[in-house]
């Protein structure tokens, strides 16, 4: 586990992911040679959160004449948004049914409905703007490979529906032989199937910045790490933000830094936790194709060990996970922001992956074409943190998406834009109530990530 004296700043350049194999023209963009000295709103982070917030701000007449600066420590979309699995997967039965027992059915349903709406909003945005990002609407197939877990999840699902979580009926359940036949996954004990999508995330985010930069009031500065943020604004209520290239004084600041938030705001230490994950791309040689995969997948081996995959339009498969290889070694992932190299223990995990798990792929010759790592931001209470930063006037946050940001971020940014634009109360933003950042959440000792780790036992025991 990293020392408490260390700060989770991103390294200068992470290893290349498949999504970033052919960067766009804005990858190293700087709108002006020098860093602007001041602005109305400063967004720190040029990933999916920063791009979405910028898009929604510019859609409002109030921001046509407001100056907006976006700072990115590295290249455009070089963090988790450019390294994930490309999955837009609204959760309509799993996480929400777990949250229901803790927070109540209505709060859980609110999140599930929000994620469904988010998928539709992203699809609409892509259709209206013509974003070339390989968006594909499809079905998610979640496969349980453990009979005990399948039974437990189905029981929880049924209870959620009985208590009023009708949104879960959007997921269709199958078990036994039907599960293996429908999914094509060897040894499938049960399957949940529901609507999802996948996308080329880097291309989507690059398009959003391209569209935003036609506005003269937008200034994007890549390779401009923020080095420090004061505890309080200046006498005029503005934030003086220090970077490696000078300072910017902003009336409002939005932290779209996700995993790296605690490097600048110490109150987020162990609240938004850097979590190093692994992803890969698998390809098949020659013209002979194995069985077509039209759906996205999650393969669940137990409650904490699961992989996910999406089929690409070019015939390749993007697969992420490999948790079983490294999760019991805390130093490999918890608080670890090193995305310059692979997690050593996970090397080779994806070799022969499709042959092991999918029927009809045994003689496919499928092999691992590329592997990379990325740093997610896990929230200690499993919920995103959206809204005003407690104790910091005119500072806002979007972070802690816990590896599940693709089906949440676009509309979360729309809601946050209402707060920054109009001072709209969080309850009127359309963002789920449980996502609101509060002082109570920041003060809570809860840390579900370490709880999961503690439940695994030490490496020496396994």
């Amino acid at each position: 586990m990293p020392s408490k004296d260390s700060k989770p700043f991103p390294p200068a350049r992470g290893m290349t992911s498949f999504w970033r194999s052919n960067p766009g023209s804005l990858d190293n963009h700087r709108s002006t040679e020098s860093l602007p000295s001041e602005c109305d709103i400063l967004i720190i982070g040029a990933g999916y959160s920063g791009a979405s917030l910028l898009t929604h701000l510019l859609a409002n007449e109030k921001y046509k004449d407001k100056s907006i600066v976006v700072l990115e420590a590295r290249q455009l979309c070089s963090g988790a948004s450019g390294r994930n699995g490309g999955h837009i997967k609204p959760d309509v039965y799993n996480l929400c049914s777990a949250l229901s027992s803790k927070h109540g059915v209505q709060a859980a349903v609110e999140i599930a409905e929000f994620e469904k709406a988010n998928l539709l909003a992203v699809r609409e945005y892509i259709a209206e703007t013509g974003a070339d990002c390989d968006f594909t609407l499809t079905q998610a197939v979640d496969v349980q490979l453990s009979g005990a877990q399948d039974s437990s999840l189905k029981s929880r699902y049924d209870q959620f529906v009985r208590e009023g979580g009708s949104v879960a009926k959007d997921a269709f359940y199958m078990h036994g032989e039907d599960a293996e036949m429908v999914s094509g996954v060897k040894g499938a004990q049960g399957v949940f199937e529901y609507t999802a999508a996948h996308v080329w995330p880097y291309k989507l985010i690059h398009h959003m910045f391209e569209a935003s930069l036609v506005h003269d009031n937008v200034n994007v500065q890549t390779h401009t790490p923020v080095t420090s943020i004061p505890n309080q604004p200046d006498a005029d209520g503005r934030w003086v933000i220090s970077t490696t290239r000078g300072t910017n004084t902003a009336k409002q600041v939005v932290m779209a830094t996700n995993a790296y938030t605690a490097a600048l705001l110490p109150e987020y230490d162990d609240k938004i936790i850097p979590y190093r994950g692994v992803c890969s791309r698998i390809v098949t040689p020659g013209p002979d194709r194995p069985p077509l995969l039209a759906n996205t997948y999650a393969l669940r081996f137990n409650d904490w060990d699961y992989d996910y995959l999406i089929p690409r339009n070019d015939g390749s498969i993007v697969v992420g996970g490999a948790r079983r290889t490294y999760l019991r070694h805390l130093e490999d992932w918890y608080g670890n922001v090193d995305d310059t190299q692979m997690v050593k223990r996970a090397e080779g995990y994806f070799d022969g992956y499709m042959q092991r798990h999918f029927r009809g792929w045994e003689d496919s010759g499928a092999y691992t074409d590329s592997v990379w790592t990325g740093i997610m931001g896990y929230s200690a209470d499993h919920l995103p943190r959206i809204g005003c930063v407690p104790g910091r006037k005119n500072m806002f946050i979007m972070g802690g998406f816990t590896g599940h940001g693709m089906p949440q971020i676009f509309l979360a940014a729309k809601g946050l834009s209402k707060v920054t634009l109009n001072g709209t109360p969080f309850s009127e933003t359309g963002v789920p109530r449980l996502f609101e950042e509060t002082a109570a959440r920041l003060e809570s000792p809860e840390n579900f990530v370490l709880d999961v780790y503690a439940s695994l036992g030490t490496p020496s025991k396994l």
Side-chain angles (χ1 to χ4, degrees), residues 113-133:
E113 294 288 5
F114 178 78
E115 292 189 10
K116 287 172 58 181
N118 190 90
L119 172 55
L120 296 177
V122 172
R123 182 177 69 172
E124 182 178 350
Y125 171 81
I126 290 170
E128 289 181 350
T129 64
D132 180 13
C133 58

Side-chain angles (χ1 to χ4, degrees), residues 372-447:
W372 61 93
T373 189
I375 314 302
M376 299 172 281
Y378 267 47
S379 177
D381 62 7
H382 218 144
L383 293 164
R385 296 170 182 270
I386 314 294
C388 302
V389 176
R392 294 180 181 263
K393 187 177 180 180
N394 292 325
M395 185 173 288
F396 310 89
I397 189 167
M398 281 187 66
F401 291 102
T402 315
H404 193 58
M406 293 298 288
Q408 296 174 337
I409 286 173
F410 190 72
L411 286 186
K414 183 176 182 179
L416 186 60
S417 74
K418 297 176 183 178
V419 177
T420 60
L421 285 165
N422 308 314
T424 301
F426 191 91
S427 59
E428 299 175 17
T429 62
V431 180
R433 71 191 85 165
L434 293 180
F435 291 6
E436 183 178 11
E437 182 60 298
T438 64
R441 290 182 68 189
L442 273 183
E443 293 166 3
S444 170
E446 180 179 3
N447 188 331

Side-chain angles (χ1 to χ4, degrees), residues 285-313:
D288 296 331
R289 296 290 187 187
L292 173 69
L293 293 184
N295 305 311
T296 69
Y297 284 83
L299 271 58
R300 296 191 178 116
F301 306 100
N302 56 48
D303 288 339
W304 59 267
D305 183 13
Y306 56 88
D307 299 329
Y308 56 88
L309 63 90
I310 67 167
R312 294 269 308 124
N313 297 341

Side-chain angles (χ1 to χ4, degrees), residues 174-184 188 191:
M174 293 160 283
H175 70 282
E177 291 183 2
D178 290 342
E180 184 166 328
M181 290 298 294
V182 169
S183 68
V191 166

